[in-house]
Amino acid sequence: MCGIIGYVGSPTSDNTLEILTDGLSRLEYRGYDSTGVAISNSSLDVYKRRGELTELEDVLPDQSTNGSAGIGHTRWSTHGPPTDENAHPHTDCNETVAVVHNGIIENYQQLRETLEADGHEFDSETDTEIIPHLIEAALERDGDIERAFRYAITMLEGSYAVAAVFSGRDEVYAARNQSPLVVGIGDDGYFLASDIPAFLDYTEDVVYLENGQFAAIRSDSIQISDERGAPVETPVETVDWSTEDTGKSGHERYMLKEIYEQPRALRKCLQGRLRESDGSVSIEAVEDMEKPKQIHVVACGTSYHASLYAARLFRDRGVPSTAFMASEYDVDTIPIDTETLVVGVTQSGETADTLEALREANRVGAETLSVTNVTGSSASRETDRVVYIRAGPEIGVAATKTFAAQLVALAMISITLTNDSAATFVEALRTLPELVQSVLDRSRAKEIATEYADSDAYFFIGRGYNAPAALEGALKTKEITYKHAEGFSAGELKHGPLALVTDKTPVFAVIPRDGNFEKMVGNVKEVEAREAPVIAVTDAAEAVEPLADHVLRIPQTDRRLAPILANVQLQLVSYWIANELGRSIDKPRNLAKSVTVK
């Protein structure tokens, strides 16, 4: 969930500090509560502060230091609150090594007690601080930096991405286990980061580190090795993102930009996968698969809502399917065998709970498929097959365009796996980007959001394919407005939630003209009887307007794609409510973009 940046340039480099702080600024979207950098010269220069990057920049030297190797970090607190002392980098007693770390060290307390008994003194409450002290202890015994770093890593239990810089050395050492690290190969040096946007201004050529691998990065080379120290051949890949993709493109915030990028994201997701000749769909990664006996879809957060949608699609096409929260997926109690397909849906491809579920599925022999946005991510490398949603980089913490692309990718997978072309559905997919654009062009969400920004709470209801859209609408609202929001299947209104409905709790009802239309009308009347404002998201405005206080229109399409259009309206509602309330929309409090801890 934290962000790492590292850089090693030529011995005469004078822009190391600039590169590190620029990288940290590009990692802010991941979520953080403190920042820090360390630069190696004749000693170690370490600067770190609680709060946003601007707090760190206030204490940095006016002139660039002349060190050519450095590391930086944005921390999302796990062990210990956000304080200057708990911010990374952490150093040893002699300040000869500085370390940054993502993940959780499960045996840190035991290691800390042992180190304290040997005379080491600690300044923070973090699990990370044991790492530089382990390195220090190994250096006292041996004196070899690389062996000391390797020794420290072998002592760790848990998930980690670790980077270390040493006083007087123009090099960075790194290792990973279940937390991402990627090396960037530039013209004027080498980069290390937890995510590609950190160094995208400088290079598009990358090497992905695998679990258990070590990297020694110097100004003129990188050496990657396995746990035993044996060299590893790693392919260099070129990413297809640009710095323009990771900018705001004239929008005030990333989230708004990404909401408006959805037509483009869907076109990229569909490109080359819809066959003009016969109106069918081809997802190359799965087209040679036989129809599975059953499908389990595992995910977290927004991706879990996409999984609920996918499971219904698969069931409607004749394959028994269930969506599971990845953190609750237990292969020892859930029926699973070699004829089960386990689909992991994860935007980043690094979501810890989803990766653990996929690994457990691999362990028991099930076939695994990842649906992700990030080429080279852990999920893409650790599953039997991978389908990329091609949404492009998403910087805002609250997922928007990736959710829409996930739904479309999963819809195409369902067609391919079941060999059910359904030409009318394929045609609806083809026109979907245009329909999304029409929603964006005509939405009244801002006007409605202004009217209801001071509400006590918000409720979102839907049925069938639209129930996941209701859940997602509520999640977006609570993520960025910090107000209570709840989404549920509309049929559950009378089983408890109606007790909370008042004239201060607007209800957003996703009510397209489908087989559940009349039932949804009944649910809306239940709400009306309690004097709650009703905002209907519908393609049947004329029929619904007499029942609702406001209508957010969506164009008609295949009933299975209506929730994608409805979701665009709900994204805009949540955005404009948060804007009205003055919230930190791109970086909501306590949240992170890539959740790499369990």
Side-chain angles (χ1 to χ4, degrees), residues 79 101 111 177 202 212-213 231 278 339 352 447 494 534:
H79 295 68
H101 158 238
L111 293 170
N177 181 52
Y202 303 96
Q213 290 183 344
D278 59 2
E339 295 184 80
E447 169 191 334
K494 54 190 172 291
V534 175

Side-chain angles (χ1 to χ4, degrees), residues 55-208:
E55 301 293 324
L56 175 66
E57 290 173 335
D58 286 342
V59 301
L60 293 177
D62 292 335
Q63 301 296 323
S64 298
T65 66
N66 55 9
S68 62
I71 53 177
H73 192 263
T74 56
R75 177 178 186 247
W76 189 88
S77 299
T78 54
H79 295 68
T83 64
D84 290 354
E85 293 77 14
N86 289 333
H88 299 208
H90 291 287
T91 59
D92 62 321
C93 296
N94 298 315
E95 296 193 349
T96 58
V97 57
V99 168
V100 294
H101 158 238
N102 292 350
I104 291 179
I105 306 304
E106 296 172 359
N107 61 334
Y108 88 98
Q109 191 61 48
Q110 174 188 346
L111 293 170
R112 179 167 176 151
E113 290 170 0
T114 301
L115 288 162
E116 286 176 328
D118 290 339
H120 292 262
E121 296 181 0
F122 289 79
D123 298 321
S124 77
E125 302 169 66
T126 68
D127 54 342
T128 302
E129 196 181 359
I130 64 164
I131 303 174
H133 288 278
L134 287 170
I135 294 171
E136 178 186 26
L139 280 173
E140 290 173 354
R141 293 190 300 269
D142 184 311
D144 184 272
I145 285 177
E146 183 166 350
R147 282 198 297 267
F149 179 77
R150 284 181 174 276
Y151 164 79
I153 297 301
T154 63
M155 298 296 292
L156 308 180
E157 296 176 6
S159 63
Y160 53 79
V162 177
V165 64
F166 293 82
S167 175
R169 301 291 291 248
D170 295 332
E171 56 195 6
V172 170
Y173 290 91
R176 69 153 289 186
N177 181 52
Q178 299 180 15
S179 193
L181 276 178
V182 58
V183 175
I185 303 171
D187 294 331
D188 299 314
Y190 290 85
F191 302 83
L192 178 77
S194 47
D195 207 352
I196 292 167
F199 54 68
L200 198 54
D201 270 345
Y202 303 96
T203 182
E204 298 172 357
D205 296 327
V206 302
V207 172
Y208 297 98

Side-chain angles (χ1 to χ4, degrees), residues 18-31:
E18 177 186 349
I19 288 172
L20 294 179
T21 54
D22 181 61
L24 292 179
S25 72
R26 296 182 180 278
L27 292 172
E28 288 184 295
Y29 71 93
R30 294 170 67 92

Side-chain angles (χ1 to χ4, degrees), residues 473-529:
L475 179 60
K476 283 293 141 307
T477 301
K478 68 182 70 173
E479 282 180 324
I480 64 171
T481 71
Y482 311 159
K483 287 204 168 191
H484 178 72
E486 188 173 354
F488 38 80
S489 175
E492 289 298 298
L493 266 175
K494 54 190 172 291
H495 296 291
L498 274 176
L500 301 174
V501 172
T502 71
D503 60 355
K504 289 290 188 180
T505 56
V507 176
F508 292 83
V510 184
I511 180 171
R513 178 76 78 173
D514 61 13
N516 290 311
F517 183 78
E518 296 301 331
K519 291 178 182 177
M520 283 296 301
V521 168
N523 297 136
V524 167
K525 289 182 176 180
E526 290 172 351
V527 169
E528 264 195 324

Side-chain angles (χ1 to χ4, degrees), residues 333-351:
T333 59
I334 296 168
I336 182 173
D337 56 29
T338 56
E339 295 184 80
T340 303
L341 173 64
V342 179
V343 182
V345 186
T346 161
Q347 182 279 136
S348 66
E350 304 295 347
T351 309

Side-chain angles (χ1 to χ4, degrees), residues 25-53:
S25 72
R26 296 182 180 278
L27 292 172
E28 288 184 295
Y29 71 93
R30 294 170 67 92
Y32 71 104
D33 48 43
S34 59
T35 62
V37 296
I39 295 179
S40 170
N41 42 55
S42 58
S43 59
L44 279 178
D45 292 331
V46 178
Y47 307 91
K48 54 184 186 175
R49 282 294 183 272
R50 170 189 176 179
E52 296 193 355
L53 182 58

Side-chain angles (χ1 to χ4, degrees), residues 192-357:
L192 178 77
S194 47
D195 207 352
I196 292 167
F199 54 68
L200 198 54
D201 270 345
Y202 303 96
T203 182
E204 298 172 357
D205 296 327
V206 302
V207 172
Y208 297 98
L209 294 187
E210 302 282 356
N211 283 338
Q213 290 183 344
F214 291 73
I217 305 170
R218 300 179 178 90
S219 61
D220 58 355
S221 66
I222 56 170
Q223 294 177 334
I224 298 176
S225 55
D226 62 19
E227 292 163 315
R228 300 183 304 277
V232 175
E233 292 294 328
T234 51
V236 177
E237 301 184 32
T238 301
V239 297
D240 61 356
W241 296 354
S242 68
T243 52
E244 181 181 349
D245 290 332
T246 57
K248 294 180 183 176
S249 301
H251 292 278
E252 184 178 1
R253 297 184 180 91
Y254 285 113
M255 183 177 177
L256 189 61
K257 173 210 174 195
E258 288 154 6
I259 289 172
Y260 275 86
E261 281 182 336
Q262 287 178 108
R264 174 187 172 193
L266 295 183
R267 289 188 186 99
K268 290 179 69 176
C269 183
L270 292 165
Q271 187 176 12
R273 291 166 167 173
L274 301 184
R275 288 176 173 160
E276 303 281 351
S277 57
D278 59 2
S280 64
V281 171
S282 173
I283 301 288
E284 185 177 355
V286 296
E287 63 184 358
D288 64 334
M289 288 182 65
E290 295 183 4
K291 182 188 290 188
K293 185 179 75 174
Q294 66 172 348
I295 296 175
H296 295 169
V297 195
V298 296
C300 305
T302 287
S303 296
Y304 174 67
H305 299 154
S307 298
L308 291 169
Y309 172 85
R312 181 174 288 273
L313 274 174
F314 290 130
R315 289 195 299 271
D316 280 359
R317 295 182 181 280
V319 182
S321 303
T322 308
F324 293 90
M325 291 183 181
S327 58
E328 299 295 326
Y329 189 65
D330 182 359
V331 298
D332 294 325
T333 59
I334 296 168
I336 182 173
D337 56 29
T338 56
E339 295 184 80
T340 303
L341 173 64
V342 179
V343 182
V345 186
T346 161
Q347 182 279 136
S348 66
E350 304 295 347
T351 309
D353 289 323
T354 305
L355 287 173
E356 180 64 20

